Every structure is written in C-alpha cells, then in structure tokens.
C-alpha cells in the first residue's frame, strides 16, 4: 500500500529540483544593475502614491469563509458519490437532506447579498 | 449615420445561457484557423490560391499608403537637381518639436540659377512628431511628408538626417504634391 | 523492487519530459502561432538559425534563452524570500498533478504488468484537487510579496476566483463519480473502453461545467481577471522578470495540459479508441508475440491519449482567442450563482436517473 | 522502511511547527503552518489513512489556511508590531502554556508506553480508502453527518451576519 506513494515522492523531489534550479539559474545568469528609479515598484511610470500594505474590503473575507464551508461540504460528497450505487435510495435521501439544509444556507447567503459584487 | 442598439431585447432562456453564441464565435475562429492552415492544399493541386483575408504579411508584402499618410518629412529635389528649398526658415519656426535645423546658403552673385538654398538642413527624426506643420508652412513646395515610416534604428545620433539623406526627387513625390495642392487650396492658403 | 523503482522512474522521466520539456515550451509557440493563423496573420516567424526559421519554432528556444539571461528583479520593499519562493510554489503543484494522471492502460510487457500511471492512488481525483488548492498560495504570495498595488489587486482577485472555482470544480464532477463509482483515474479510464459509457454521453452538463470551472481555475481568458493586462497591468506577476516570470507561464501551460488530460480521462474515453477494445487490438497484432503486441498497443494508446489531450489544448486555445474577458462580478456570479446550484441539481438529477435505472 | 520515512517527515513537521511559533512575520508563520499540514498529511498517508491524508491537504492546507492568509493580507500586520512585542513578556501566559505543554507531553508519553510497539496492528489492504470511510460514515454515522450539515448552515449564517452587518 505504501509503495503507491513512491512515485509521488520522487515526482515531488524532481519538481522541487526543477523549480529550485530554475530560480537559481535565473538569479545567477542574469545581469545585476541596481539604481533607485529602477527598483521602485511599477506604477505606470509614477512613484508609488499609496502603499499596498493597507486593509482590504471585508467581502473578500466572506468569500473565503464561504469557500471553506462549501469545500467541507464538497468533501462529504466524494465518498458518497463513489458509494452511491451501493447505498441506494437510503443514501440518496440522506444526501437530499444534506443538500436541502445547505441549499437553505446558500439561499440565505444569496438573499442577504453575500454573493453580490458591485 | 448613427444607429441605435436596442438593449431591451428579451432573450430566451437558451439565448441567455450564451452557449449558442459561444459556439458560433468558436465556429468562426476555427473556420479561419482551418482555412488558413489547410488553405495551401488547392495551391499544390494546381489551383491558384485565393486569399480571402485582408491582412498583409508586412515585411515581405507592403501596402501602398494613401497620399494623405504622413510619414517622415523629406526635401524635394527639383528637376534641375537642386533642392526646392530656399532656406526661408518658415518650417523651422512652424515646427512644434524644434526638430528642423537650417543653415541658409547665400547667393554671392555668381550663381544665376538659384538665389538661396540651404547649406545645411537637418531633421532629427527622434524628435519629429510627424505633424506636417512644416509641409503646411512651406511656401515653395519644398518639404513633404513621404510615405516612409520605417525609420527605427538602434542609435539616436543616426536619426538626425542631413540634407543629402533627406533629398528625394520630385517625381517620387507627385501624389503627395498634388494632394497638398488640393488640400491647401481648399483651405485658401 | 529495484525493477519497480526503475519503471516508476522511467514513467516519471517520460511525464516530466513531455510536460516540462515538450508542452511548456511548445505551447508558448502554439499560443502565438495559432492566434496568428486564426487572425489571418503569419505570426512568429522571425527567429532563425542560419536563415532557417522552422515556422517560428525557434522562438521557443529564443524565449527560453532570453528568460535565462534576464535580470532577476526584486523591487524595493518587497519580501525577498517570499518573492523568490512564490514561483516555486506555483510550479511544483502544476508538475506534481501528473503523478496520478494515467496516460495508458495496463500492459503485459516482458512477463510483467506495467500500469501506465506514476502513482495509482485510490483517491486519485481528490489528489488532483488537493494539489490544485495548494497552487493558490503561489499566486497569492506572489502578489502580496511584491509591494505593488497592481500585484496586490491581482492576488486578491486570484485568491477569490481560484477558491470560488475550486468548490465548483469539485462539485461538477460528483456526477461523474456517481456514474463510475470510483475515484481512481485508472479505473475510470478502463471503464470507458465501452464507447457507450464515455463520460460525455453520461454527463454532458457535467462536462461543460467542469471545463468552464477548470479554465477559470487556470485563470485563462475569458477568466483572466487576476492578470488582466489592460486593467491591472499583469496582476500578481507585475514585478517578476526573467525565468521567475516564465515559471508562472510555465505552470499555466502545464495546468492547461493537466486540464486537457483530466477532461480526456473523465469524459472522452481516456486512451481508448471508440469501438476498439484492447482485446481486439491485441488480437490484431497477435503475430508479434505477447510482448510485441502489448508494446504496439501501448504505443497506440499513448498516442491516442496525447492526441486527445492536444485536441483539448487546441480547444482551450480557440476559446482563449475567441471570447472576451468577463467582468469580475460576472465571474463571481457565474461561479457562485450559476455553476454551484447547477452542479448540485446535476448531482440530484443524476442520482434520480441512476436510481430509476436500477 | 516505514520508520525511515517517518522520522524525516516528523522532524520536518516539528521544525515547521516550531517555525510557526518562532516566526516574526505573520505570513511566514502561516506558510510554516501550511508546510506542517502537508507534513502531517504525509504522516497520515504513512499510517494508511489515505482519505484522511488527502482531506488534510484539501481542508486544512488548502481551505482553512487560505482563510488565515486572507486575514493576514486583509489586516496587513507589520512584521515587528509594538503590541506584538509586548506580548512576548507575558509571564502568566508563559507559565500557563508551559504547564499545558508539559501536561500534554506527559499524557503522550504515558499513552506511548501503554501500547505494545513491537507488534504493529495489521490492517486490511482497503483500510483508509474513501470507500471504506464512506461506508461507515453513511451507514453507522448518519446522524452526525446530518448534524454536520446543520453546523455548516449555522456557520454560513454566522459569517454572513458578521460580514454584512452595517456598522453605521
């Protein structure tokens, strides 16, 4: 059972090697010319007016919370889906309840404008 | 010729899914793709390939620019082999970018053919904005916007053209000369 | 044990060679050349070696050479470690996903069963999603660490778009899993030997939704808001140069290959030719002996699989050069308000149909 | 063979766990935490809990850490905040956490000695696969499963109420 992960492990090491080697190569091979104007962050030729280190709108946070919740929901679906034919009607009713309860949640979020972007 | 787009069209459910429109768009692009990809086959079969496309394969194929096109300004060389310019300096003044530099040459009395001519006439194409004011200001039909626009180069110093580089025989500028006569005559210059 | 390891190593080298060595550089050329052909242009054909241009194929080499020799630029005020780390985080998942993607069936070579997949995981499809969810960090950190307003906007957009479509992508293939009853990609591929059981016939809506969600997850046009050139310069990789910039592109192209491979396996019969079972193919080449016939069939299957993959890459390219970019709120609306309820409905309808048939 | 993989993985996870606590910048801590989650997933896979290992990556490393990342990016905490420094010298907190950690360590050590490590439990080949876990979840544990959905609903409502309340 364990040896099925051997390939993943070797592949991971190789991917790290490729990616790390690329970054190393580009930092070694490229020229280095530093001067003040060049090192400024790009803002279409102007100096930076506002620092990007500012607080952001909370609606991005709401998306993240909803994502976590729906991701957990989706994870429940996976084992259910592959067992569906074995569980039969019982499993279907079970999942119907689950979907309905979460559908209520989705509708609530929808109606409260949690999914709206202006 | 203004026409109005009716934005209150009620779309059916099927239209609102946008799937037919997406497929139609993809049909058009992939039709072009396959026509261009395999369009050379009739050419091999002995039939002349007929291109139904408007684009031009630029460096190999060139288009003739219309006479109204403003390329790089050039000096006209008249039939006698002299520049038509009389070094009056009007174009130098008219130039909003100050890219024209003229050193006038004076007639010392010996030459009867021409009275004044430019000793030096430089145009810096790195500065020129191709506005055509010099052409408009010229009283002698000496400076014209040509149809040449390929003046990119690696050295800025080389973009400053001298009189010898600028001179172009009048015969090559015929279209533009006629065009300017028509245009500026209309505006009662 | 050693032979097993060697076989695994050979498969890994093949996959990395195909993705990183072949598809990633070639697709940069394909993207330019195909758009050119589509728009009646000639396209990239200037790079030449001794006057020989090879249809502009040398542009891939020229691009790579140029990227290697460009300056590695890190702007002032940026977090140097994270700025360097993020392209690595972006590339690794892209390559790693292929560990569970089968590119052929099981063949009997030299008295040994050879399964053409690097790791035949029981949770294969979930592995793909797990790795895809890790890839988000590369893009988010890239934008955050650059100390640039465009980058930060881009990374916020990336984050919310990618996580939104991750959920949708997961839910859209539940129907497929219900039909096949397995998460093992090799099993799903093997079932589709029967032409009537191809995923596209059993789950047409699932296919459409999965393709949409997958393209959105890969942030390609028409869902390229995170890197919209005309709005926020280049989004999260505005401050990247040289090969670090190229690595983001590389991961995008490799992910394109991944999407095509997954779509092929789930919906288009994986490595199978319609109406031709493996047994039929084997019986055709019986004269060559067991190993010879198996070897030939293996080559045919791998060829068919990659032909299908290339078709889907072509399709994604066509979509990219046909459709205009969506607005940001449209993307979020499509993900949350259309695809999510639609995929839940798809699950229920599939369930009802399966129950009726049984 | 298993121990050969286990120790580097465990060491890797522990180092990153230390990194979470010691790191000065919040985003560095978050990255360490993600790495630790991945290491943990590796350990789960080593214990034949394949499905749990994947869930560890999807839910913890992929979803919950994105939330953490969002919070860090939204607040944009500076690496060396003055308040952050002040917390370092909270003696009461230090003593409390030390006691807690020692208690946990004691419990862990006693539990380890209770088990017979020489003969590890034999598990069937299908152990830990999605099908087996699903089988128990959807037959024996139906009620917890449905209760979980109500829990998720509550969380959803809570998030929207918190995020969409107008302050003025």
């Amino acid at each position: 059972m364990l040896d099925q992960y051997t390939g993943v492990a070797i592949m991971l090491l190789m991917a790290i090697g490729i990616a790390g080697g690329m970054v190393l190569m580009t930092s070694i091979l490229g020229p280095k010319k530093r001067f003040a104007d060049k090192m400024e962050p790009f803002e279409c030729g102007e100096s930076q007016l506002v620092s990007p280190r500012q607080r952001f709108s909370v609606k991005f946070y709401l998306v993240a919370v909803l994502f976590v919740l729906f991701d957990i929901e989706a994870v429940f679906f996976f084992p259910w889906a592959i067992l569906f034919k074995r569980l039969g009607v019982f499993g279907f009713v079970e999942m119907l309840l689950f979907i309905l309860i979460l559908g209520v949640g989705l509708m609530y979020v929808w109606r409260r404008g949690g999914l709206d972007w202006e | 010729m203004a026409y109005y787009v009716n934005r209150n069209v009620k779309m059916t459910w099927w239209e609102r899914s946008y799937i037919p429109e997406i497929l139609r768009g993809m049909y058009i692009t992939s039709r072009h793709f396959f026509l261009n990809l395999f369009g050379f086959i009739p050419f091999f079969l002995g039939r002349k390939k007929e291109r139904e496309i408007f684009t031009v394969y630029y460096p190999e194929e060139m288009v003739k620019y219309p006479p109204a096109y403003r390329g790089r300004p050039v000096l006209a060389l008249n039939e006698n082999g002299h520049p038509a310019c009389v070094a009056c300096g009007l174009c130098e003044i008219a130039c909003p970018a100050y890219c024209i530099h003229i050193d006038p040459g004076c007639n010392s009395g010996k030459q009867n053919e021409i009275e004044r001519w430019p000793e030096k006439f430089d145009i810096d194409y790195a500065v020129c904005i191709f506005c055509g004011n010099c052409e408009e200001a010229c009283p002698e039909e000496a400076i014209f916007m040509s149809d040449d626009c390929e003046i990119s180069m690696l050295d800025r110093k080389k973009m400053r053209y001298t009189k010898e580089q600028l001179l172009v025989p009048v015969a090559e500028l015929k279209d533009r000369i006629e065009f300017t006569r028509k245009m500026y005559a209309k505006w009662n210059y | 044990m050693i032979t097993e390891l060697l076989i695994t190593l050979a498969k890994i080298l093949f996959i990395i060679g195909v993705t990183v060595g072949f598809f990633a550089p070639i697709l940069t050329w394909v993207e330019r050349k195909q758009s050119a052909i589509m728009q009646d242009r000639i396209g990239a054909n200037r790079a030449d070696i001794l006057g020989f241009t090879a249809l502009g194929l040398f542009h891939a080499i020229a691009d790579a050479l140029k990227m290697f020799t460009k300056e590695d630029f890190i702007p002032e005020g940026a977090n140097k470690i994270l700025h360097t780390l993020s392209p690595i985080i972006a590339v690794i998942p892209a390559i790693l996903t292929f560990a569970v993607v089968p590119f052929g069936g099981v063949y009997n070579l030299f008295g040994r069963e050879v399964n053409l997949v690097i790791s035949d995981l029981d949770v294969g499809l979930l592995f793909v999603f797990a790795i895809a969810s890790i890839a988000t960090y590369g893009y988010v950190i890239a934008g955050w660490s650059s100390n640039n307003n465009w980058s930060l906007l881009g990374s916020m957009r990336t984050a919310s778009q990618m996580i939104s479509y991750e959920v949708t992508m997961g839910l859209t293939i539940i129907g497929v899993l219900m039909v096949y009853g397995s998460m093992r990609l090799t099993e799903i591929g093997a079932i589709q030997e029967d032409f009537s059981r191809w995923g596209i016939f059993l789950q047409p809506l699932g296919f459409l939704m999965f393709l949409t969600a997958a393209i959105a997850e890969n942030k390609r046009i028409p869902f390229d808001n995170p890197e919209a050139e005309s709005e926020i310069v280049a989004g999260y990789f505005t401050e990247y140069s040289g090969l670090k910039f190229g690595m983001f592109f590389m991961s995008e192209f490799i992910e394109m290959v991944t999407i095509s491979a997954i779509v092929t396996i789930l919906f288009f019969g994986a490595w199978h030719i319609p109406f031709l079972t493996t047994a039929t193919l084997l019986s055709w080449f019986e004269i060559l002996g067991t190993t010879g016939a198996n070897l030939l069939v293996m080559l045919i299957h791998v060829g068919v699989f990659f032909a299908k993959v290339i078709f889907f890459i072509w399709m994604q390219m066509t979509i990219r050069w046909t459709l205009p970019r969506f607005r940001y709120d449209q993307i979020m609306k499509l993900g949350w308000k259309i695809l999510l309820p639609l995929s839940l409905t798809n699950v229920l309808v599939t369930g009802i149909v399966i129950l009726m048939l049984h | 063979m298993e121990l050969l993989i286990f120790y580097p993985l465990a060491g890797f996870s522990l180092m990153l766990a230390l990194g979470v606590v010691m790191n000065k910048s919040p985003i560095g801590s978050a990255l360490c935490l993600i790495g630790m989650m991945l290491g943990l997933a590796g350990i789960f896979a080593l214990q034949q809990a394949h499905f749990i290992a994947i869930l560890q990556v999807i839910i913890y490393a992929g979803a919950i850490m994105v939330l953490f990342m969002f919070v860090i990016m939204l607040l944009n905490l500076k690496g060396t905040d003055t308040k952050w420094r002040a917390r370092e010298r909270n003696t009461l907190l230090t003593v409390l956490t030390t006691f807690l950690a020692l208690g946990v360590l004691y419990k862990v050590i006693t539990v380890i000695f209770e088990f017979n490590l020489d003969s590890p439990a034999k598990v069937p080949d299908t152990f830990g696969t999605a099908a087996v876990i699903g089988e128990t979840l959807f037959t024996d544990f139906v009620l917890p499963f449905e209760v979980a959905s109500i829990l998720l609903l509550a969380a959803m409502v809570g998030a929207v109420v918190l995020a969409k309340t107008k302050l003025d």
Side-chain angles (χ1 to χ4, degrees):
Chain A
M1 268 319 248
L2 190 68
D3 50 324
Q4 57 177 297
Y5 287 100
T6 336
V8 176
I10 298 173
M11 195 115 174
L12 179 65
L13 290 180
M14 275 192 166
I16 290 173
I18 290 172
M22 277 177 156
V23 167
L24 205 69
M25 284 271 273
T26 188
S27 58
I28 290 171
L29 282 175
K32 292 266 179 300
K33 285 184 203 134
R34 299 169 60 95
F35 48 93
D37 279 355
K38 180 174 161 186
M39 300 319 283
E40 266 182 15
F42 179 77
E43 198 129 307
C44 302
E46 302 280 326
S47 292
Q48 220 168 30
L49 281 176
V50 275
S51 167
R53 303 268 186 267
Q54 282 175 336
R55 300 201 168 181
F56 246 80
S57 164
V58 76
K59 63 189 178 189
F60 284 106
Y61 179 70
L62 186 62
V63 170
V65 172
L66 289 178
F67 158 64
V68 171
L69 295 173
F70 277 99
D71 213 30
I72 294 170
E73 182 196 357
V75 153
F76 278 118
F77 272 100
F78 280 93
W80 174 78
I82 61 172
L83 282 172
F84 179 70
K85 283 176 185 164
R86 229 180 300 166
L87 289 170
V89 181
F90 174 66
F92 183 72
V93 172
E94 211 179 321
M95 195 41 89
L96 193 66
L97 261 175
F98 188 74
I99 291 180
L100 280 182
I101 292 171
L102 280 157
V104 169
L106 185 65
M107 278 317 289
Y108 177 76
V109 176
W110 195 325
R111 292 293 291 277
R112 281 294 296 264
L115 304 176
D116 285 342
W117 292 77
E118 61 274 1
Chain B
M1 258 291 283
Y3 77 102
Y4 295 94
V5 178
N6 185 8
R7 289 196 186 281
N8 296 322
V9 180
K10 276 271 178 288
M11 286 193 287
T12 60
W13 178 85
W14 178 239
E15 279 174 330
R16 262 158 51 102
S17 76
Y18 289 109
I19 291 171
E21 286 303 303
I22 287 171
L23 290 181
R24 216 158 64 115
M26 280 177 66
Y27 165 70
I28 289 171
T29 44
S30 44
R31 193 189 61 200
H32 272 253
F33 176 77
F34 285 114
L35 270 182
N36 289 326
L37 195 63
F38 299 113
F40 59 84
I41 290 174
F43 177 75
F44 281 117
L45 293 176
R47 264 194 291 154
K48 199 165 169 288
K49 186 186 161 196
E50 279 172 36
R51 272 178 52 202
E52 296 172 0
I53 52 183
F54 301 106
T55 50
V56 168
Y57 297 157
Y58 160 61
E60 283 87 21
E61 273 175 25
M62 303 289 277
V63 284
K64 178 103 181 69
Y65 291 109
Y69 182 80
R70 294 201 301 261
R72 67 182 177 93
V74 293
L75 285 180
L77 188 72
N78 63 19
E79 290 84 353
N80 307 327
H82 294 290
C85 178
V86 294
C88 62
L90 278 177
C91 52
E92 203 174 356
I93 290 162
C95 182
Y98 308 114
C99 69
I100 303 175
H101 308 276
I102 306 174
D103 271 357
C106 288
N107 194 335
S108 55
K110 281 173 189 164
Q111 298 102 321
N112 297 324
E113 236 174 300
I114 40 176
E115 211 165 321
R116 273 171 68 88
W117 70 95
E119 196 81 55
K120 260 176 70 182
F121 196 109
D122 291 357
I123 299 181
D124 196 344
Y125 287 137
V127 180
C128 180
I129 58 167
F130 307 100
C131 60
N133 277 8
C134 49
E135 183 186 44
E136 205 174 317
C138 186
E140 291 288 326
E141 292 189 344
I143 187 164
F144 287 104
M145 311 304 281
S146 69
D147 58 0
D148 182 12
C149 56
E150 295 170 320
I151 47 168
S152 52
M153 48 193 79
L154 292 171
D155 193 355
R156 278 185 196 155
K157 286 179 198 113
K158 281 183 192 155
M159 293 193 81
R160 193 179 168 123
Y161 272 42
T162 57
K163 189 177 82 176
E164 284 69 36
Q165 286 168 298
L166 287 171
L167 285 172
V168 168
V170 168
E172 286 176 30
L173 297 166
K174 239 188 268 164
D175 290 349
R176 181 73 189 180
I177 293 171
E178 250 168 57
F179 172 76
T180 46
R181 276 177 189 158
K182 228 164 47 193
M183 282 312 286
Y184 300 150
K186 196 161 77 183
W187 295 341
N188 294 320
Y189 277 99
Chain C
M1 184 68 199
I2 296 292
T3 356
E4 290 285 316
L5 207 65
L6 279 179
I7 291 171
T8 313
L9 217 60
K11 283 187 283 197
I12 290 172
L13 285 179
F14 174 74
I15 279 293
I16 286 184
V18 164
T19 52
V20 181
F22 176 73
F23 273 120
I26 288 294
L27 284 184
T28 60
W29 170 75
V30 170
E31 176 125 80
R32 294 162 74 178
K33 200 71 185 174
Q34 186 180 340
S35 71
I37 295 173
M38 220 176 249
Q39 297 167 354
D40 302 342
R41 294 183 282 113
I42 276 191
N45 63 347
R46 288 295 128 187
D48 63 299
I49 295 176
L50 303 172
F52 188 63
T53 55
L55 294 172
L57 256 175
F58 294 135
H59 272 277
I61 302 169
D63 279 345
L65 276 178
K66 184 190 79 179
M67 276 174 179
F68 268 115
T69 50
K70 283 273 178 182
E71 181 179 350
D72 177 23
F73 172 82
I74 298 171
E76 220 160 274
N79 190 329
K80 283 202 178 60
I81 301 167
L82 294 180
H83 191 269
T84 317
L85 207 60
S86 51
I88 301 179
I89 301 177
V91 165
I92 290 174
I95 299 175
L96 197 59
T97 322
F98 267 95
V100 294
V101 175
F103 49 96
V106 183
Y107 306 99
N108 188 8
L109 296 178
F110 306 106
R112 182 181 286 280
E113 294 269 298
V114 176
N115 195 356
L116 283 192
V117 61
I118 291 166
S119 283
D120 192 9
L121 292 189
D122 169 62
V123 282
L125 204 53
L126 271 180
F127 182 84
V128 175
F129 290 125
I131 296 299
S133 67
I134 297 296
T136 316
Y137 294 114
Y139 304 109
V140 174
I141 294 169
W144 189 83
S145 66
S146 298
N147 188 32
N148 181 322
N149 285 310
W150 303 123
S151 302
L152 191 70
L153 273 173
S155 77
M156 293 314 279
R157 285 180 175 194
T158 317
S160 29
Q161 180 180 328
M162 278 182 86
I163 59 178
S164 300
Y165 278 91
E166 230 173 86
V167 171
T168 329
M169 202 164 80
L171 286 177
T172 46
I173 54 159
I174 298 291
V176 184
L177 295 182
M178 284 163 75
V179 171
Y180 293 131
S182 174
M183 256 193 277
R184 213 182 268 264
L185 286 171
T186 46
E187 249 173 64
I188 294 175
I191 290 170
Q192 294 182 61
E193 194 166 7
D194 182 1
F195 184 55
S196 61
R197 298 199 66 186
W198 278 24
I200 180 75
F201 303 124
L202 302 173
Q203 286 283 322
L205 191 62
F207 164 67
L208 269 183
M209 289 193 299
F210 178 72
L211 192 66
T212 313
I215 294 175
E217 177 79 2
N218 195 11
K219 307 176 294 303
R220 277 183 70 78
I221 290 174
F223 301 96
D224 74 328
N225 267 61
E227 50 194 86
E229 291 93 343
S230 44
E231 292 172 29
I232 48 171
V233 193
Y236 54 87
F237 57 71
T238 304
E239 292 294 354
Y240 280 86
S241 68
L243 205 62
K244 281 180 177 177
F245 166 82
M247 279 163 82
F248 283 116
F249 263 89
M250 206 175 96
S251 60
E252 186 183 316
F253 285 129
I254 295 176
E255 268 167 36
M256 235 169 92
V257 183
T258 316
I259 290 167
S260 307
I262 300 270
V263 165
T264 308
I265 290 165
L266 290 183
F267 299 100
F268 283 86
W271 51 88
H272 297 295
I273 310 169
F275 305 118
L276 273 181
T277 57
T278 314
T280 328
L281 271 176
L282 278 176
S283 65
W284 284 2
F285 306 113
E286 225 164 351
I287 348 151
L288 297 169
T290 324
T291 304
N294 270 292
L295 208 64
L296 204 61
V297 172
M298 183 182 96
L299 287 179
I300 290 172
H301 277 171
V302 172
V304 166
F305 178 74
F306 279 106
K308 284 175 184 173
V309 167
I310 286 168
F311 171 76
F312 280 105
I313 290 171
W314 173 83
M315 196 165 129
Q316 286 184 58
M317 292 272 188
T318 311
I319 290 171
R320 185 237 186 280
W321 290 104
T322 303
L323 300 178
R325 179 186 306 134
F326 288 130
R327 227 166 41 220
Y328 193 69
D329 60 324
Q330 288 171 333
I331 289 182
M332 295 313 262
K333 195 181 154 200
L334 180 68
W336 285 105
K337 292 188 178 174
I338 297 174
L339 288 183
L340 190 65
L342 211 61
S343 56
L344 287 177
T345 324
N346 187 35
V347 168
L348 289 181
V349 171
T350 313
I352 291 169
V353 170
I354 290 179
L355 283 180
M356 298 252 265
L357 289 178
H358 274 258
Chain D
M1 181 65 196
E2 271 184 30
L3 285 181
L4 212 73
I5 307 167
F6 173 76
Y7 281 119
L9 257 180
F12 171 77
S13 302
L14 271 180
M15 260 182 34
L16 284 174
L18 271 180
V20 177
V21 190
M22 311 290 260
N23 218 317
K24 280 280 186 290
S25 79
I27 206 143
S29 285
L31 271 181
C32 282
L33 198 50
I34 294 165
M36 201 212 78
M37 298 286 186
L38 294 180
L40 218 56
I43 291 174
F44 273 130
L46 207 63
Q47 306 294 324
Q48 314 250 344
H50 308 290
F51 191 61
I52 301 295
I54 287 293
L55 290 199
Q56 177 80 15
V57 178
I58 292 186
I59 301 292
Y60 283 92
I64 290 176
M65 287 316 294
V66 165
L67 194 65
F68 277 39
M69 216 69 153
F70 261 73
V71 173
I72 291 165
M73 281 166 65
L74 289 171
L75 295 178
N76 266 312
L77 291 170
K78 294 282 184 297
T80 46
D81 220 332
T82 40
K83 280 179 190 166
W84 195 264
R85 288 215 157 275
R87 289 248 170 79
E88 276 176 15
R89 278 184 269 284
N90 194 331
T91 6
L92 185 69
L93 214 66
T94 319
V95 171
L96 256 171
T97 42
T98 313
F99 268 110
L100 214 69
L102 282 175
V104 169
L105 206 65
Y106 171 74
K107 188 69 197 162
V108 166
I109 289 171
T110 48
V111 164
I112 285 176
F113 277 110
E114 273 172 26
F115 280 109
N116 185 6
L117 289 177
D118 296 331
S119 58
K122 286 275 177 289
V123 290
D125 252 10
T126 52
F127 180 81
T129 56
V132 174
I133 286 179
E135 196 110 44
T136 36
L137 180 64
F138 295 113
T139 50
D140 299 344
F141 295 93
V142 176
L143 196 66
F145 168 67
E146 297 296 343
V147 170
S149 75
I150 294 175
L151 206 66
L152 287 176
L153 174 68
M156 221 177 280
V157 172
V160 173
V161 166
L162 282 179
K164 280 283 162 185
T165 308
K166 287 211 168 64
L167 289 174
D168 48 344

